[in-house]
Amino acid sequence: MTTETSPSDPFDGPAGPADPTDPVVPSDHTAARAELLDRPGLTGRPRRAALARLTDDWLAALLAAAGAPSAGVALVAVGGYGRGELSPRSDLDVLLLHDGPIARELPERIWYPVWDAGAKLDHSVRTVAEARAVAAADLKAQLGLLDARHLAGDPALTAALRSAVLTDWRAGAPARLPELRDLGRERAERHGELSFLLEPDLKEARGGLRDLVALDAVAATWLGDAPRDGLDAAAERLADVRDALHLATGRATERLSLQDQDQVAERLGVLDADTLLRQVYEAARTIAYASDVTWRAVDRVLAARSGRGRRVGRLGFPFTGAGRGPGAVARGAVARRPLAEGVVEQDGEAVLAQAARPAADPVLPLRAAAAAAQNGLTVSYATVRRLAAECRPLPVPWPDEAREQLVTLLGAGEAAVPVWEALEAEGLVTRLLPDWERVRCRPQRNAVHRWTVDRHLVETAVRAAAMTRRVARPDLLLVAALLHDIGKGWPGDHSEAGEVIVRDLAARMGFPAEDTATLAVLVRQHLTLVDTATRRDPDDPATVEAITKAVGTLTELELLHALTEADALATGPAAWSSWRASLVDGLVARAAAQLAGGGIPAVEAEPSAEQERLAVEAARTGAPALSVLAQAMGATPETEPMGVELTLAVPDRPGLLGTVAGVLALHRLTVRSAGVSELDPIGAGPVLLLSWRVAAEFGELPEAARLRADLRRALDGSLDVTRRLAERDAAAPRRRGIPTPPPLVAVAPAVASATATVLEVRAHDAPGLLHRIGRALDGADVRVRTAHVSTLGAEAVDSFYLTDPAGRPLTAERAREVAAAVREALG
């Protein structure tokens, strides 16, 4: 606060010139303060409290020596001083409160000795009414007054001020809280995030001491409160670092500069500057996460008060209906919309369904996280806490669903970041990936890097999510992006250490040996492309040979290319440029030409005995033959089955693929993979054999008899699949979702197959996706000879081997027309 002339002049009392040289009070405050700061064993919060008490006594003595009346005048500490803790170089925020005319020299008899002692003083002289008026006009002044604490003089006057200010704050909270939140956002834009800065501002950056003041102000409104676990410890850690910084520099600075970090670490007894920064980052993340949770709760309360949301209680928690069980909500509550098995959306957050049983479902944390991120939501604080407390660790190796859900989470791009932060705040990330602890909050003392190691890994996955259309294995790209620098937590070359770690982690996640080897190559070689492109002669055959030896296959090359770009973009603006991109692109093109030794033929496995039996039955009866095998897809005794193997044999006919895919979508079955092939088991004509791996969208599989009946109705035309899907989509509530790259529909080079035209489709998975593709192919009057459909996380990677009605490959022009038709169908 600053000195201002009050609207009504308070200096109407006995006149008399102030004489700053008068011995107002004999004080050895400066010596006592120096002794306190040097006292062995007195550090941290006890020292700050002792310094505040010493200052309280000094100012109280100054007020008494100044001749203040016993009533109608009070000295009040506000702001940081009001909270009762002082850092060595903190300003003194003091208010001289009065209820009527006071002697003109009274304030000066208090302020001059403070200035003479070398203390920095923010001071003001006001009545209660004037203080309230200033607070109403200035949010920062109001925040300072919320911490008003009586020092000396008339305690009733201070009590009146506190009561009035708190009353005003609570009454004006609906208008003031959005303003407070905006102030925090502006500070974050100016000063950055404390958790990632090499020279952070301990007070102003996001996650700093100012945010703690804001959280206390929110709590004072009674409309919400921050999660308190770890918050006090985080606040104390930042305050301790600030104290050490003041003592090390001898200045009232809040910026932890590089040149001061070693001295601060030494004063705190910390191993080194890196350890100091990690502790600061940990504290800042705790505060930032608490702020995010608190402001979401505040938004819900304010929305409910304005009639835009569900009813909530005074502290931001939902009302529950008496006698209706846990989680029941009062009338008028917003509907709980299903997102995934055991996960629903409520009030803009992902929460657990009432029937969810975390203790029996170890995949639930990843499923909830993936569902939230894919829908542009975050997981509620209470839900993450419950998952951390009740869920058992995943079995090793992970069930297939866990791996798929991790990939789905990473594939959400930017929307994955707040979800990942919520999981990390409750220790769930380290539980999933034990090696994550070594890179968590680890600083990177490199001007090029803008993030800590762990956040850089997440940001790389975010960048990679935008490149999933460029690769045939988006799941491997996303996991490699997340783990490519995991070796930075170990001594030696981080690429070599990372290769060892990622082999262990990939096996833990349940990747097959071939995929594990690919991930190891990507982590080991993630710097090779950019280093080679910028340091070697691109026209030298040895340069290309170095790349082909490093990767070995076209699949690995395209993955490494995308990973290289994602890594550089996530590092910072200085790490990537159009020049570097052109060098890498040129090197990749040369290496790809050398690795391309011919087409990659479709691998058509021999039909099993069960598939042959179904084909014979379909050929003889002319009707579909269906087999459903439950507990497929890598289910283990420790987990619920993720889905089923479904095998269908149908006499070949136009429109088959799209019709069957539509029936599966109607039954809310998600296609994880599929194969389509032709058989002629008895010489009576071709039978199309469709082998599907499907999962129930919400955990309940349809009855085989009902599924078979709907397939027959769809094939004979009595069930309009397209219309039914359109009606269901129109009735479904609209969710904001997340932005995704546009679908990629391309015709593979002719060498891909000698007997068919290969159409490749890469798109974000969605209900009915395969149905739309199938309808487009049917409408284009082409035959699907074979198909290979895969869903990797949230991405569909499909290949269709097409011929014309006579069984010949399509002409180039015809192939382009078919691709355009599929592209249009996918929007």
Side-chain angles (χ1 to χ4, degrees):
M1 294 185 299
T2 57
T3 303
E4 298 178 9
T5 302
S6 302
S8 57
D9 189 352
F11 305 119
D12 292 334
D19 184 358
T21 64
D22 288 350
V24 177
V25 59
S27 173
D28 59 351
H29 172 73
T30 302
R33 183 178 180 279
E35 184 277 329
L36 188 151
L37 293 177
D38 291 338
R39 190 178 304 169
L42 183 62
T43 60
R45 179 173 290 177
R47 181 173 61 196
R48 289 189 292 275
L51 186 57
R53 287 194 300 271
L54 179 67
T55 307
D56 292 353
D57 294 342
W58 178 43
L59 292 176
L62 289 175
L63 180 66
S70 59
V73 174
L75 203 57
V76 182
V78 297
Y81 181 29
R83 290 188 289 276
E85 291 193 353
L86 279 180
S87 289
R89 295 286 177 173
S90 292
D91 293 356
L92 301 181
D93 295 336
V94 183
L95 166 65
L96 183 61
L97 194 64
H98 63 95
D99 64 359
I102 59 173
R104 185 180 301 273
E105 69 272 13
L106 178 62
E108 295 175 348
R109 286 179 172 271
I110 302 170
W111 309 146
Y112 272 101
V114 176
W115 289 325
D116 290 344
K120 291 187 177 180
L121 181 68
D122 279 345
H123 57 90
S124 59
V125 181
R126 295 191 180 108
T127 64
V128 171
E130 291 166 353
R132 292 177 69 183
V134 170
D138 184 347
L139 177 59
K140 293 181 180 179
Q142 189 169 36
L143 293 175
L145 288 171
L146 287 175
D147 292 311
R149 180 171 60 86
H150 182 69
L151 294 177
D154 188 347
L157 198 57
T158 304
L161 173 68
R162 283 183 52 81
S163 177
V165 169
L166 280 171
T167 299
D168 293 344
W169 176 243
R170 287 165 185 158
R176 274 287 157 108
L177 286 179
E179 187 180 351
L180 178 60
R181 180 184 53 205
D182 290 343
L183 276 179
R185 289 173 175 169
E186 291 170 7
R187 281 191 290 100
E189 290 175 1
R190 288 197 309 271
H191 299 281
E193 293 195 57
L194 179 51
S195 300
F196 309 116
L197 297 168
L198 277 177
E199 293 187 308
D201 188 308
L202 300 171
K203 191 173 184 179
E204 303 292 344
R206 180 175 182 265
L209 295 169
R210 286 279 191 209
D211 283 342
L212 289 167
V213 175
L215 291 178
D216 287 342
V218 171
T221 65
W222 291 348
L223 296 181
D225 195 9
R228 291 290 164 180
D229 286 351
L231 196 58
D232 286 345
E236 188 161 358
R237 168 49 54 180
L238 290 189
D240 288 350
V241 173
R242 184 192 189 202
D243 288 357
L245 180 62
H246 284 190
L247 292 172
T249 62
R251 294 180 288 110
T253 180
E254 315 297 340
R255 185 170 297 280
L256 186 58
S257 300
L258 291 172
Q259 65 267 24
D260 300 323
Q261 290 172 9
D262 288 326
Q263 295 180 65
V264 172
E266 183 179 357
R267 279 188 171 272
L268 293 171
V270 173
L271 179 63
D272 55 27
D274 276 4
T275 305
L276 170 68
L277 279 182
R278 291 191 77 175
Q279 292 180 356
V280 168
Y281 294 162
E282 289 271 8
R285 289 193 190 185
T286 299
I287 296 167
Y289 178 61
S291 297
D292 290 342
V293 171
T294 301
W295 285 116
R296 287 199 299 271
V298 168
D299 285 343
R300 288 195 298 274
V301 173
L302 297 183
R305 287 194 164 201
S306 65
R308 293 183 287 111
R310 59 177 290 194
R311 294 176 59 209
V312 293
R314 187 176 66 179
L315 292 179
F317 302 106
F319 284 112
T320 57
R324 296 191 297 167
V329 296
R331 286 182 298 173
V334 174
R336 294 161 64 93
R337 302 184 182 96
L339 297 176
E341 176 64 17
V343 188
V344 298
E345 176 189 352
Q346 180 176 297
D347 289 326
E349 294 181 321
V351 303
L352 294 185
Q354 293 180 354
R357 297 293 178 265
D361 189 355
V363 182
L364 187 55
L366 281 172
R367 190 185 311 123
Q374 285 291 325
N375 286 279
L377 308 172
T378 190
V379 186
S380 79
Y381 172 70
T383 294
V384 180
R385 295 275 292 172
R386 185 180 172 194
L387 292 172
E390 297 183 24
C391 280
R392 293 179 290 114
L394 283 168
V396 178
W398 292 4
D400 290 350
E401 187 196 0
R403 191 172 60 255
E404 292 284 345
Q405 296 294 356
L406 174 64
V407 171
T408 302
L409 167 61
L410 299 176
E414 287 285 354
V417 176
V419 176
W420 187 271
E421 289 177 341
L423 297 183
E424 194 170 53
E426 297 300 332
L428 285 167
V429 170
T430 303
R431 188 187 301 181
L432 292 168
L433 308 172
D435 291 278
W436 194 260
E437 185 60 33
R438 283 182 171 266
V439 297
R440 187 171 187 269
C441 293
R442 181 174 290 276
Q444 303 201 75
R445 294 187 177 276
N446 184 323
V448 174
H449 277 280
R450 58 181 298 195
W451 306 109
T452 54
V453 177
D454 60 331
R455 182 58 179 268
H456 169 70
L457 294 175
V458 175
E459 291 290 333
T460 304
V462 168
R463 299 288 187 168
M467 303 176 185
T468 50
R469 301 292 179 272
R470 291 169 41 176
V471 298
R473 291 297 304 273
D475 56 334
L476 297 184
L477 171 62
L478 292 168
V479 173
L482 182 70
L483 300 176
H484 73 278
D485 275 348
I486 197 72
K488 285 188 174 179
W490 296 82
D493 186 310
H494 75 278
S495 297
E496 294 178 2
E499 179 184 5
V500 175
I501 296 168
V502 84
R503 286 185 183 276
D504 176 69
L505 285 176
R508 179 187 183 88
M509 293 177 185
F511 279 105
E514 183 179 353
D515 291 348
T516 297
T518 298
L519 287 169
V521 168
L522 295 175
V523 172
R524 177 68 180 87
Q525 306 294 342
H526 72 271
L527 298 175
T528 299
L529 270 181
V530 71
D531 285 350
T532 305
T534 55
R535 299 177 184 177
R536 301 274 294 274
D537 180 0
D539 297 321
D540 187 341
T543 302
V544 175
E545 186 178 356
I547 300 302
T548 56
K549 284 183 177 179
V551 292
T553 68
L554 282 169
T555 297
E556 290 179 351
L557 179 62
E558 73 174 6
L559 286 168
L560 185 61
H561 187 192
L563 175 60
T564 298
E565 185 173 340
D567 182 17
L569 290 172
T571 297
W576 196 245
S577 64
S578 57
W579 170 73
R580 287 195 175 200
S582 65
L583 291 179
V584 170
D585 290 348
L587 180 58
V588 168
R590 292 181 178 89
Q594 185 163 317
L595 287 171
I600 304 174
V603 178
E604 299 186 24
E606 290 295 322
S608 66
E610 175 66 7
Q611 289 173 330
E612 288 186 340
R613 183 190 69 77
L614 291 172
V616 169
E617 179 183 340
R620 286 176 176 170
T621 63
L626 177 67
S627 170
V628 179
L629 177 63
Q631 293 192 7
M633 304 182 74
T636 67
E638 293 85 4
T639 64
E640 295 292 324
M642 183 181 170
V644 299
E645 293 277 3
L646 185 151
T647 305
L648 177 68
V650 186
D652 195 9
R653 44 159 288 179
L656 188 59
L657 179 62
T659 299
V660 174
V663 172
L664 295 180
L666 271 181
H667 284 266
R668 297 192 182 277
L669 292 172
T670 300
V671 178
R672 307 307 300 174
S673 66
V676 180
S677 57
E678 279 186 0
L679 291 177
D680 190 355
I682 60 175
V687 170
L688 209 59
L689 189 68
L690 302 96
S691 300
W692 311 75
R693 285 173 86 227
V694 299
E697 188 176 354
F698 298 114
E700 295 183 4
L701 296 168
E703 296 178 359
R706 183 180 173 190
L707 184 59
R708 186 182 293 109
D710 281 352
L711 283 169
R712 286 175 175 164
R713 291 172 57 212
L715 293 172
D716 67 23
S718 60
L719 174 62
D720 189 337
V721 175
T722 301
R723 181 178 62 81
R724 287 280 301 277
L725 284 173
E727 290 174 350
R728 191 181 73 183
D729 291 345
R734 295 293 178 186
R735 295 194 185 99
R736 57 183 173 180
I738 57 171
T740 58
L744 175 66
V745 182
V747 180
V751 294
S753 174
T755 59
T757 297
V758 180
L759 187 71
E760 296 179 342
V761 179
R762 299 176 186 176
H764 192 76
D765 191 32
L769 175 68
L770 191 55
H771 172 65
R772 295 198 298 275
I773 295 173
R775 285 192 66 212
L777 294 176
D778 296 338
D781 194 26
V782 296
R783 295 182 62 233
V784 180
R785 198 189 71 193
T786 60
H788 303 273
V789 175
S790 299
T791 305
L792 305 169
E795 298 300 317
V797 181
D798 306 337
S799 298
F800 302 90
Y801 287 69
L802 310 176
T803 67
D804 63 16
R808 297 168 302 200
L810 307 181
T811 65
E813 182 179 357
R814 187 78 183 96
R816 287 193 294 272
E817 292 173 353
V818 172
V822 173
R823 199 176 294 117
E824 182 179 358
L826 297 182

